[in-house]
Amino acid sequence: MSGSDRATGDDDDHRHQQRVPIVLRARLRDRHSNKYNVHLLDLSVTGFRAEADYSLDVGQIVWLVIPGMQGLEATIAWRQGLEIGCSFRQPLYPPVLDHIVKTLGH
């Protein structure tokens, strides 16, 4: 699979967690401490979808930095155009997801 393709079977049937639409500016940081501004598009306890204008590759480890929170380790699972989908190394606690959506999301 190339770095610009979604995984096969991306019809959302494999997802077990509800994705919450969100509009939120955040940052990704890679292993080399490079920082990338991104716009979160949706969020769940297991991952997120974001718009990223940067060349980030499938399989790359990143840390999602949401204002007021420590970095959340994630792996880029797919890329399609400017959008990326990432899965968290450790799932978010549902109350943390609720807090992000209620206090930071627009």
Side-chain angles (χ1 to χ4, degrees):
M1 174 167 54
S2 78
S4 63
D5 295 335
R6 282 188 190 239
T8 58
D10 65 315
D11 58 3
D12 295 341
D13 288 344
H14 63 285
R15 292 195 181 130
H16 300 288
Q17 300 296 323
Q18 178 183 356
R19 292 194 171 261
V20 179
I22 191 168
V23 176
L24 178 63
R25 287 183 177 206
R27 282 197 174 170
L28 291 182
R29 181 178 56 81
D30 66 16
R31 288 182 180 226
H32 305 289
S33 296
N34 297 314
K35 295 176 183 165
Y36 308 93
N37 292 319
V38 297
H39 291 90
L40 291 184
L41 304 171
D42 65 37
L43 187 64
S44 76
V45 294
T46 57
F48 62 93
R49 182 172 58 102
E51 184 178 275
D53 296 333
Y54 309 97
S55 178
L56 299 166
D57 297 320
V58 171
Q60 188 173 352
I61 306 260
V62 294
W63 284 262
L64 175 66
V65 180
I66 295 173
M69 296 183 64
Q70 69 180 30
L72 302 166
E73 186 177 341
T75 302
I76 298 176
W78 58 264
R79 178 174 189 97
Q80 185 173 27
L82 296 179
E83 289 187 9
I84 58 172
C86 299
S87 58
F88 291 126
R89 181 174 176 266
Q90 295 289 330
L92 290 177
Y93 290 110
V96 172
L97 174 64
D98 291 342
H99 172 75
I100 293 168
V101 171
K102 289 177 184 173
T103 61
L104 300 174
H106 298 112

